[in-house]
mmCIF file of all heavy atoms in Angstrom:
data_model
loop_
_atom_site.group_PDB
_atom_site.id
_atom_site.type_symbol
_atom_site.label_atom_id
_atom_site.label_comp_id
_atom_site.label_asym_id
_atom_site.label_seq_id
_atom_site.Cartn_x
_atom_site.Cartn_y
_atom_site.Cartn_z
ATOM 1 N N GLN A 191 132.143 89.301 79.047
ATOM 2 C CA GLN A 191 131.383 90.544 78.908
ATOM 3 C C GLN A 191 130.176 90.478 79.828
ATOM 4 O O GLN A 191 129.459 89.487 79.856
ATOM 5 C CB GLN A 191 130.926 90.697 77.457
ATOM 6 C CG GLN A 191 129.933 91.805 77.219
ATOM 7 C CD GLN A 191 129.418 91.794 75.794
ATOM 8 O OE1 GLN A 191 130.188 91.909 74.849
ATOM 9 N NE2 GLN A 191 128.112 91.630 75.631
ATOM 10 N N ILE A 192 129.962 91.553 80.609
ATOM 11 C CA ILE A 192 128.907 91.588 81.614
ATOM 12 C C ILE A 192 127.963 92.754 81.335
ATOM 13 O O ILE A 192 128.396 93.898 81.257
ATOM 14 C CB ILE A 192 129.504 91.756 83.032
ATOM 15 C CG1 ILE A 192 130.545 90.681 83.327
ATOM 16 C CG2 ILE A 192 128.398 91.759 84.076
ATOM 17 C CD1 ILE A 192 129.989 89.298 83.453
ATOM 18 N N VAL A 193 126.665 92.445 81.175
ATOM 19 C CA VAL A 193 125.653 93.492 81.001
ATOM 20 C C VAL A 193 124.768 93.513 82.248
ATOM 21 O O VAL A 193 124.129 92.511 82.580
ATOM 22 C CB VAL A 193 124.795 93.237 79.748
ATOM 23 C CG1 VAL A 193 123.721 94.309 79.621
ATOM 24 C CG2 VAL A 193 125.676 93.204 78.496
ATOM 25 N N ASP A 194 124.734 94.635 82.922
ATOM 26 C CA ASP A 194 123.964 94.778 84.160
ATOM 27 C C ASP A 194 122.462 94.782 83.844
ATOM 28 O O ASP A 194 121.969 95.638 83.102
ATOM 29 C CB ASP A 194 124.357 96.091 84.844
ATOM 30 C CG ASP A 194 123.656 96.297 86.180
ATOM 31 O OD1 ASP A 194 122.918 95.397 86.620
ATOM 32 O OD2 ASP A 194 123.875 97.366 86.781
ATOM 33 N N ILE A 195 121.724 93.815 84.399
ATOM 34 C CA ILE A 195 120.261 93.763 84.208
ATOM 35 C C ILE A 195 119.538 93.827 85.560
ATOM 36 O O ILE A 195 118.386 93.427 85.667
ATOM 37 C CB ILE A 195 119.844 92.492 83.439
ATOM 38 C CG1 ILE A 195 120.281 91.226 84.199
ATOM 39 C CG2 ILE A 195 120.390 92.500 82.033
ATOM 40 C CD1 ILE A 195 119.663 89.954 83.647
ATOM 41 N N THR A 196 120.215 94.353 86.568
ATOM 42 C CA THR A 196 119.628 94.418 87.914
ATOM 43 C C THR A 196 118.332 95.218 87.921
ATOM 44 O O THR A 196 117.337 94.801 88.530
ATOM 45 C CB THR A 196 120.633 95.037 88.902
ATOM 46 O OG1 THR A 196 121.853 94.284 88.865
ATOM 47 C CG2 THR A 196 120.074 95.020 90.318
ATOM 48 N N ALA A 197 118.320 96.367 87.247
ATOM 49 C CA ALA A 197 117.118 97.209 87.236
ATOM 50 C C ALA A 197 115.950 96.477 86.577
ATOM 51 O O ALA A 197 114.800 96.577 87.038
ATOM 52 C CB ALA A 197 117.405 98.515 86.494
ATOM 53 N N ILE A 198 116.237 95.713 85.531
ATOM 54 C CA ILE A 198 115.189 94.950 84.843
ATOM 55 C C ILE A 198 114.627 93.875 85.765
ATOM 56 O O ILE A 198 113.409 93.685 85.867
ATOM 57 C CB ILE A 198 115.739 94.321 83.553
ATOM 58 C CG1 ILE A 198 116.143 95.413 82.563
ATOM 59 C CG2 ILE A 198 114.714 93.377 82.927
ATOM 60 C CD1 ILE A 198 116.833 94.900 81.321
ATOM 61 N N LYS A 199 115.514 93.158 86.459
ATOM 62 C CA LYS A 199 115.078 92.087 87.366
ATOM 63 C C LYS A 199 114.245 92.655 88.517
ATOM 64 O O LYS A 199 113.238 92.061 88.909
ATOM 65 C CB LYS A 199 116.290 91.331 87.909
ATOM 66 C CG LYS A 199 117.117 90.607 86.856
ATOM 67 C CD LYS A 199 116.351 89.469 86.212
ATOM 68 C CE LYS A 199 116.159 88.307 87.145
ATOM 69 N NZ LYS A 199 115.547 87.137 86.462
ATOM 70 N N GLU A 200 114.656 93.799 89.050
ATOM 71 C CA GLU A 200 113.916 94.403 90.150
ATOM 72 C C GLU A 200 112.544 94.888 89.678
ATOM 73 O O GLU A 200 111.547 94.772 90.408
ATOM 74 C CB GLU A 200 114.720 95.558 90.747
ATOM 75 C CG GLU A 200 115.958 95.081 91.507
ATOM 76 C CD GLU A 200 116.793 96.219 92.050
ATOM 77 O OE1 GLU A 200 116.569 97.375 91.613
ATOM 78 O OE2 GLU A 200 117.691 95.961 92.881
ATOM 79 N N ALA A 201 112.480 95.416 88.448
ATOM 80 C CA ALA A 201 111.192 95.849 87.897
ATOM 81 C C ALA A 201 110.267 94.649 87.688
ATOM 82 O O ALA A 201 109.058 94.740 87.930
ATOM 83 C CB ALA A 201 111.411 96.589 86.576
ATOM 84 N N GLN A 202 110.838 93.533 87.256
ATOM 85 C CA GLN A 202 110.043 92.317 87.080
ATOM 86 C C GLN A 202 109.464 91.842 88.406
ATOM 87 O O GLN A 202 108.300 91.430 88.474
ATOM 88 C CB GLN A 202 110.908 91.213 86.459
ATOM 89 C CG GLN A 202 111.223 91.421 84.987
ATOM 90 C CD GLN A 202 112.163 90.371 84.436
ATOM 91 O OE1 GLN A 202 112.852 89.662 85.187
ATOM 92 N NE2 GLN A 202 112.207 90.248 83.127
ATOM 93 N N LYS A 203 110.266 91.904 89.450
ATOM 94 C CA LYS A 203 109.796 91.492 90.770
ATOM 95 C C LYS A 203 108.664 92.393 91.253
ATOM 96 O O LYS A 203 107.665 91.915 91.811
ATOM 97 C CB LYS A 203 110.957 91.516 91.769
ATOM 98 C CG LYS A 203 111.968 90.397 91.580
ATOM 99 C CD LYS A 203 113.061 90.478 92.629
ATOM 100 C CE LYS A 203 114.073 89.349 92.459
ATOM 101 N NZ LYS A 203 115.168 89.429 93.471
ATOM 102 N N GLU A 204 108.809 93.696 91.044
ATOM 103 C CA GLU A 204 107.760 94.636 91.451
ATOM 104 C C GLU A 204 106.476 94.380 90.666
ATOM 105 O O GLU A 204 105.375 94.446 91.213
ATOM 106 C CB GLU A 204 108.242 96.070 91.230
ATOM 107 C CG GLU A 204 109.336 96.503 92.199
ATOM 108 C CD GLU A 204 109.793 97.919 91.954
ATOM 109 O OE1 GLU A 204 109.211 98.584 91.071
ATOM 110 O OE2 GLU A 204 110.734 98.369 92.638
ATOM 111 N N LEU A 205 106.624 94.078 89.366
ATOM 112 C CA LEU A 205 105.453 93.782 88.544
ATOM 113 C C LEU A 205 104.762 92.508 89.009
ATOM 114 O O LEU A 205 103.528 92.452 89.074
ATOM 115 C CB LEU A 205 105.871 93.641 87.081
ATOM 116 C CG LEU A 205 104.750 93.328 86.079
ATOM 117 C CD1 LEU A 205 103.691 94.424 86.108
ATOM 118 C CD2 LEU A 205 105.322 93.163 84.672
ATOM 119 N N GLU A 206 105.564 91.491 89.356
ATOM 120 C CA GLU A 206 104.994 90.243 89.848
ATOM 121 C C GLU A 206 104.216 90.462 91.143
ATOM 122 O O GLU A 206 103.131 89.902 91.344
ATOM 123 C CB GLU A 206 106.105 89.208 90.059
ATOM 124 C CG GLU A 206 106.700 88.688 88.762
ATOM 125 C CD GLU A 206 107.950 87.858 88.984
ATOM 126 O OE1 GLU A 206 108.338 87.689 90.171
ATOM 127 O OE2 GLU A 206 108.537 87.386 88.002
ATOM 128 N N LEU A 207 104.774 91.303 92.029
ATOM 129 C CA LEU A 207 104.080 91.606 93.282
ATOM 130 C C LEU A 207 102.789 92.372 93.016
ATOM 131 O O LEU A 207 101.763 92.129 93.643
ATOM 132 C CB LEU A 207 105.001 92.418 94.207
ATOM 133 C CG LEU A 207 106.173 91.670 94.830
ATOM 134 C CD1 LEU A 207 107.081 92.635 95.578
ATOM 135 C CD2 LEU A 207 105.675 90.574 95.775
ATOM 136 N N SER A 208 102.866 93.312 92.062
ATOM 137 C CA SER A 208 101.691 94.093 91.709
ATOM 138 C C SER A 208 100.606 93.203 91.113
ATOM 139 O O SER A 208 99.421 93.335 91.451
ATOM 140 C CB SER A 208 102.073 95.182 90.703
ATOM 141 O OG SER A 208 100.941 95.915 90.299
ATOM 142 N N GLU A 209 101.003 92.295 90.233
ATOM 143 C CA GLU A 209 100.043 91.378 89.619
ATOM 144 C C GLU A 209 99.432 90.441 90.659
ATOM 145 O O GLU A 209 98.238 90.125 90.596
ATOM 146 C CB GLU A 209 100.731 90.575 88.524
ATOM 147 C CG GLU A 209 101.080 91.402 87.290
ATOM 148 C CD GLU A 209 101.818 90.592 86.242
ATOM 149 O OE1 GLU A 209 102.313 89.497 86.581
ATOM 150 O OE2 GLU A 209 101.894 91.056 85.092
ATOM 151 N N LYS A 210 100.252 90.016 91.613
ATOM 152 C CA LYS A 210 99.756 89.150 92.677
ATOM 153 C C LYS A 210 98.721 89.873 93.526
ATOM 154 O O LYS A 210 97.670 89.311 93.880
ATOM 155 C CB LYS A 210 100.910 88.672 93.552
ATOM 156 C CG LYS A 210 100.506 87.677 94.627
ATOM 157 C CD LYS A 210 101.711 87.190 95.412
ATOM 158 C CE LYS A 210 101.296 86.190 96.487
ATOM 159 N NZ LYS A 210 102.476 85.716 97.269
ATOM 160 N N SER A 211 98.997 91.155 93.836
ATOM 161 C CA SER A 211 98.051 91.947 94.633
ATOM 162 C C SER A 211 96.752 92.161 93.864
ATOM 163 O O SER A 211 95.655 92.046 94.426
ATOM 164 C CB SER A 211 98.673 93.304 94.984
ATOM 165 O OG SER A 211 99.819 93.125 95.796
ATOM 166 N N TYR A 212 96.896 92.472 92.566
ATOM 167 C CA TYR A 212 95.702 92.655 91.736
ATOM 168 C C TYR A 212 94.877 91.383 91.697
ATOM 169 O O TYR A 212 93.646 91.418 91.834
ATOM 170 C CB TYR A 212 96.112 93.058 90.322
ATOM 171 C CG TYR A 212 95.079 92.683 89.276
ATOM 172 C CD1 TYR A 212 93.915 93.431 89.105
ATOM 173 C CD2 TYR A 212 95.252 91.546 88.481
ATOM 174 C CE1 TYR A 212 92.951 93.075 88.171
ATOM 175 C CE2 TYR A 212 94.299 91.174 87.544
ATOM 176 C CZ TYR A 212 93.157 91.948 87.389
ATOM 177 O OH TYR A 212 92.206 91.579 86.475
ATOM 178 N N LYS A 213 95.546 90.242 91.518
ATOM 179 C CA LYS A 213 94.849 88.957 91.418
ATOM 180 C C LYS A 213 94.089 88.649 92.699
ATOM 181 O O LYS A 213 92.955 88.145 92.669
ATOM 182 C CB LYS A 213 95.857 87.854 91.105
ATOM 183 C CG LYS A 213 95.236 86.492 90.821
ATOM 184 C CD LYS A 213 94.352 86.518 89.591
ATOM 185 C CE LYS A 213 93.830 85.142 89.264
ATOM 186 N NZ LYS A 213 92.831 85.168 88.172
ATOM 187 N N GLN A 214 94.697 88.964 93.822
ATOM 188 C CA GLN A 214 94.029 88.725 95.105
ATOM 189 C C GLN A 214 92.785 89.594 95.246
ATOM 190 O O GLN A 214 91.725 89.121 95.692
ATOM 191 C CB GLN A 214 95.003 88.994 96.258
ATOM 192 C CG GLN A 214 96.098 87.951 96.379
ATOM 193 C CD GLN A 214 97.123 88.313 97.433
ATOM 194 O OE1 GLN A 214 97.257 89.471 97.828
ATOM 195 N NE2 GLN A 214 97.857 87.312 97.903
ATOM 196 N N LEU A 215 92.873 90.870 94.863
ATOM 197 C CA LEU A 215 91.717 91.765 94.920
ATOM 198 C C LEU A 215 90.628 91.316 93.950
ATOM 199 O O LEU A 215 89.440 91.332 94.272
ATOM 200 C CB LEU A 215 92.146 93.203 94.583
ATOM 201 C CG LEU A 215 93.019 93.909 95.630
ATOM 202 C CD1 LEU A 215 93.530 95.231 95.069
ATOM 203 C CD2 LEU A 215 92.231 94.132 96.915
#
C-alpha cells in the first residue's frame, strides 16, 4: 500500500528554507 506524501515533503522543505532565511536575518 502506497500513500503519496510528496506534497508534505515539499512543504517541509519550503518551511526549512523559510526558517533558514528567517534565522539568517
Side-chain angles (χ1 to χ4, degrees):
Q191 170 186 301
I192 306 292
V193 178
D194 183 4
I195 59 168
T196 304
I198 295 174
K199 297 294 289 187
E200 290 177 346
Q202 287 176 342
K203 288 181 179 179
E204 290 180 3
L205 180 59
E206 289 170 0
L207 289 173
S208 177
E209 289 177 344
K210 184 177 180 180
S211 297
Y212 154 77
K213 187 63 176 173
Q214 289 174 340
L215 290 172

